[in-house]
């Protein structure tokens, strides 16, 4: 008997909806006779469930499962815990064909299955420019030089002795949603918005270190951050930002940074695109001019309709996306649904999120779940009863500056369709009467 | 000098240096950098060429280096689109004169090459010096960087074939970069107080009279990302859709061959594809070549450990000392057996 007995009134897509994984394997292996039996048993189950349940109840209750009648596993069997075996679907993934070299590529966070605002460290998106390393922290150094009274060197021991702060911030790649500038290109929110994560970072404010070295505040205008990896990634940060809320961080969600996220040291530049959050941070140079590094002069430049490129575009403007229901998902049933998603702004706090289920004609204001923090992901929820008819779901965020997330038409009117970077347009998900959700763009 | 007295001396020097820093608010934390340390790491070169080491290299010297170290990824003429996007192409003599790439204005560029984008020559010098070649970053001498860059500039018709690029003339050459006038910082996305350029208003009721479906996902694109049913939770309000690639597969998809994981972990896939050439030959091409060669296994294990070049072209394979003997042997066995994925 298949284990996934359907309930009456549910939308079920044949055959996957009512076949067990074993039966699906049988069908795909060509054992078609099995399908007929399965149809019979499934329709019997649908017809018979309410009767059977009224008579004696749910077998999941009536027949005690093994976990209620046997001894469980001991403590510390897994000294570093791992997700349940049933959660294997939620993994970071590459988008096939997006890049050709795994050392200079991207893996996306599975936003479609995450709750709240914190991204589990193992599901944090990745972007490397010349592969990642697991660096021995005892051999890692941070140097600060340039327009300072004294160039200085810090070991990890030194840095971790300093007064630290912990702050929750989102990190979004400047190219997040970049595949969708011209038209719809990918099926799910993992690939459309998954270069986005949010963590609690622990470290020392960069301003503390710059002061420790005696920064020349009269002449200093910019700092350069440089990584210790093969690419020695470099990005320019303006001094007012560097002295504002930038952190030199070693902690992430209560433990050290993961190697893929810059272990043992990375820059945290709240509100700014991920490329500036230099990983494996080895050096900060203070200067009086921007550096026009490779990722400021060849990549991460935004092509405008007049043929110019915007250089040093950094701020991730206010944006939101519904994560459930979202592209590639199927609603199980009509009736009550919680529409949930994420909103964020590189300019401060999210003030409001509105949700439309009719393609942007009418909007209702969603609940913002606490905490609502500056330059952090904010979770929104809104109740919805789906009547089974087609719908187009959208979310629209507003930040504390009063800026409202734009539509595709508004964004393209100013920036065209060839930019790649900084696409923060309102996302549309089309819900068909079958319950299937797909990625669309409406104008 | 004994190891102990060396340590003692180093400790005294560092302590003396730390004592010199009277201003630190955190006594005992950090120390001054030595001039040699700053020199070793301070390698950046700015658009005003601050930081540029003296040196020179000719187009001819560049050709030789290019063939040995750059061609595998970028093609002989910087035109290759196989591994990375093209370095060269899409610029004209007129662009060199005006400093604006006409292809953007005419909107007829199918793709943007590096020379179509980069406004500053310093950027290329800095990046080649710090990050190239791909599998051996920071291995080029300053003269080699000048030479490689001279050849790249020649490919873009920015300098003639007999040109020698040096710290003396690089600023003049920068004035010929095709997109040098193509950049703007006039936008509100850098400055901490920058203002947005796109505006929306939060209309709540009857906001549009007509909704046009502008773009939707073609089936092939939906199905190109694996089975979406396997990328969602198995409980909750929704399930992932079964898409063709994995339809019926689900949990039944055959497990990948253990060597697949080992191969990625050991860093092989950066340069070798299973069926496609990247920097080095594909694994299946290797298996084909050594099909009847009984000594191939031990020979290839040795080559992985020691590195080598010449067998498959000029691209050098660096020694892979970080891979254990057992892992190397397992990988070579797997490659010679045709690299089965399951």
């Amino acid at each position: 008997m298949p284990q996934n007995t359907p309930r009456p009134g549910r939308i079920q897509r044949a055959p996957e909806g009512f076949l067990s994984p074993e039966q699906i394997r049988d069908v795909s292996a060509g054992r078609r006779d099995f399908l007929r039996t399965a149809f019979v048993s499934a329709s019997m189950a649908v017809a018979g469930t309410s009767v059977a349940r009224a008579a004696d109840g749910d077998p999941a209750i009536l027949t005690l499962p093994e976990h209620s009648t046997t001894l469980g596993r001991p403590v510390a069997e897994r000294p570093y815990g791992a997700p349940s075996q049933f959660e294997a679907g939620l993994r970071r993934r590459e988008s096939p064909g997006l890049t050709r070299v795994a050392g200079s590529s991207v893996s996306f966070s599975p936003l479609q299955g995450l709750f709240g605002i914190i991204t589990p460290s193992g599901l944090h998106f990745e972007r490397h420019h010349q592969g990642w390393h697991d660096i021995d922290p005892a051999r890692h150094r941070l140097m600060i030089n340039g327009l300072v009274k004294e160039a200085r060197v810090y070991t990890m021991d030194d840095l971790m002795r300093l007064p630290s702060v912990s702050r929750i911030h989102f990190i979004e790649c400047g190219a997040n949603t970049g595949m969708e500038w011209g038209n719809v290109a990918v099926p799910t929110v993992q690939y459309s918005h998954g270069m986005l994560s949010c963590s609690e970072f622990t470290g020392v404010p960069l301003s503390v270190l710059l002061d420790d070295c005696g920064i020349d505040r009269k002449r200093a205008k910019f700092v350069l951050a440089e990584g210790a990896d093969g690419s020695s990634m470099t990005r320019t940060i303006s001094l007012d930002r560097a002295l504002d809320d930038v952190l030199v961080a070693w902690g992430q969600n209560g433990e050290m940074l993961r190697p893929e996220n810059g272990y043992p040291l990375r820059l945290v530049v709240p509100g700014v695109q991920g490329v500036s959050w230099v990983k494996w941070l080895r050096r900060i140079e203070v200067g009086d001019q921007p550096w026009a590094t490779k990722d400021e002069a060849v990549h991460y430049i935004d092509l405008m309709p007049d043929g110019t490129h915007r250089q040093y575009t950094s701020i991730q403007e206010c944006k939101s996306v519904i994560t459930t229901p979202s592209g590639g998902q199927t609603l199980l049933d009509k009736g009550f649904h919680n529409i949930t998603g994420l909103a964020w702004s590189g300019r401060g706090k999210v003030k409001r999120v509105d949700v439309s289920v009719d393609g942007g004609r009418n909007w209702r204001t969603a609940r913002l779940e606490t905490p609502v923090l500056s330059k952090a992901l904010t979770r929104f929820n809104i109740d919805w009863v789906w009547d089974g008819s087609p719908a187009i779901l959208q979310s629209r965020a507003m930040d504390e500056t009063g800026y409202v997330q734009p539509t595709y038409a508004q964004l393209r009117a100013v920036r065209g369709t060839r930019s790649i970077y900084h696409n923060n347009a309102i996302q549309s998900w089309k819900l068909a009467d079958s319950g299937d959700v797909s990625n669309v763009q409406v104008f | 000098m004994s190891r102990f007295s060396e340590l003692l001396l180093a400790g005294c020097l560092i302590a003396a240096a730390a004592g010199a820093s009277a201003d630190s608010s955190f006594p005992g934390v950090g120390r001054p950098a030595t001039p040699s340390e700053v020199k070793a790491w301070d390698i950046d070169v700015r658009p005003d060429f601050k930081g540029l080491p003296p040196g020179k290299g000719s187009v001819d010297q560049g050709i030789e280096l290019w063939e040995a170290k750059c061609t595998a990824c970028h093609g002989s003429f910087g035109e290759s689109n196989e591994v990375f996007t093209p370095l060269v192409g899409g610029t004209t003599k007129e662009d060199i004169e005006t400093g604006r790439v006409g292809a953007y204005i005419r909107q007829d560029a199918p793709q943007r090459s590096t020379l179509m984008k980069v406004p500053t020559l310093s950027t290329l010098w800095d990046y080649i010096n710090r990050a190239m070649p791909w599998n051996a970053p920071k291995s080029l001498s300053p003269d080699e960087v000048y030479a490689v860059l001279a050849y790249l500039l020649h490919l873009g018709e920015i300098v003639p074939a007999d040109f020698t690029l040096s710290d003396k003339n690089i600023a003049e050459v920068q004035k010929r970069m095709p997109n040098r006038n193509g950049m703007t910082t006039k936008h509100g996305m850098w400055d901490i107080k920058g203002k947005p350029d796109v505006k929306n208003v939060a209309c709540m009721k009857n906001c549009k009279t007509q909704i046009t479906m502008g773009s939707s996902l073609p089936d092939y694109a939906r199905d190109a990302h694996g089975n979406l049913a396997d990328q969602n939770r198995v409980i909750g309000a929704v399930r992932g859709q079964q898409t063709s690639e994995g339809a019926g597969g689900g949990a039944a998809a055959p497990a990948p061959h253990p060597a697949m994981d080992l191969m990625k972990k050991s860093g092989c896939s950066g340069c070798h594809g299973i069926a496609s050439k990247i920097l080095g030959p594909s694994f299946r091409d290797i298996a084909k070549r050594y099909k009847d060669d009984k000594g191939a296994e031990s020979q290839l294990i040795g080559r992985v450990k020691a590195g080598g070049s010449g067998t498959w072209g000029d691209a050098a394979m660096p020694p892979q000392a970080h891979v254990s003997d057992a892992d190397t042997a397992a990988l070579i066995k797997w490659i010679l057996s045709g690299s089965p994925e399951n």
Side-chain angles (χ1 to χ4, degrees), chain B residues 83-108:
Chain B
V83 182
F84 299 103
T85 46
L87 300 176
V88 177
T91 58
T92 64
K93 284 206 160 57
E94 197 192 339
D95 298 347
I96 293 170
E97 297 306 314
T98 61
R100 285 295 306 274
V101 171
Y104 297 133
I105 299 157
R106 297 189 302 272
Q107 307 220 353
D108 61 0

Side-chain angles (χ1 to χ4, degrees), chain B residues 94-331:
Chain B
E94 197 192 339
D95 298 347
I96 293 170
E97 297 306 314
T98 61
R100 285 295 306 274
V101 171
Y104 297 133
I105 299 157
R106 297 189 302 272
Q107 307 220 353
D108 61 0
Q111 200 169 11
R112 283 181 281 173
S113 72
T114 296
L115 288 183
M116 286 173 70
K117 292 188 284 186
V118 65
T120 35
L121 189 48
S122 59
T123 306
L124 298 180
W125 204 102
D126 175 275
Y127 182 66
I128 294 168
N129 180 53
R130 74 173 55 242
M132 290 293 115
W134 176 249
N135 54 358
K138 303 178 189 68
S139 61
L140 298 177
S141 70
D143 284 350
E144 287 177 324
V145 177
Y146 281 107
V148 165
L149 187 50
Y151 178 59
L152 177 63
L153 291 166
H154 175 59
L155 290 173
E157 297 175 354
I158 297 166
V159 301
D162 58 359
F163 195 76
T164 298
L165 184 70
S166 74
D167 56 305
K168 304 283 187 297
N169 62 18
I170 195 167
E172 285 305 308
V173 180
Q174 178 147 288
K175 291 179 192 158
R176 291 175 55 77
M177 295 301 280
N179 201 35
R180 65 186 177 279
N181 297 322
M183 294 284 159
T184 178
T185 53
K186 290 197 178 101
H187 55 76
M189 295 173 73
W190 193 20
D191 191 278
I192 202 164
K193 297 182 201 82
K195 294 279 178 278
D197 58 343
V198 183
K199 291 197 168 49
N200 190 6
V201 286
C203 163
M204 297 301 283
K205 291 272 170 237
N206 302 314
C207 303
K208 290 177 184 174
T209 51
Q210 200 181 348
I211 289 163
T212 318
M213 194 72 71
S215 176
S216 59
L217 193 65
D219 283 346
Y220 70 81
R222 187 193 70 154
D223 298 348
H225 283 73
N227 186 11
L228 302 180
D230 296 339
Q231 302 178 21
N232 280 270
R233 197 162 271 122
V234 293
I235 47 162
V238 297
R239 296 289 184 276
Q241 292 162 17
Q242 292 281 347
T243 45
S244 58
E245 186 178 298
H257 195 285
M260 296 284 286
D261 206 35
L262 188 60
M263 178 261 294
K264 286 179 192 151
K265 199 179 76 188
S266 306
C268 315
S269 54
C271 296
H272 301 276
I274 288 177
S276 60
K277 174 184 182 296
I278 305 179
L279 266 169
S282 82
F283 291 146
R284 299 221 166 114
D285 283 344
I286 296 173
K288 219 179 284 169
R289 176 176 294 188
Y290 295 100
K291 188 160 51 83
D292 301 316
D293 185 345
K294 295 238 169 353
E297 195 170 315
S298 60
Q299 186 193 339
L300 290 178
I301 288 171
R303 189 152 325 143
V304 168
K305 293 204 121 2
S309 73
T311 321
W312 295 87
D314 291 334
M317 170 155 166
Q320 306 294 314
H322 64 285
V323 188
S324 74
D325 289 358
D327 285 355
T328 305
L331 282 165

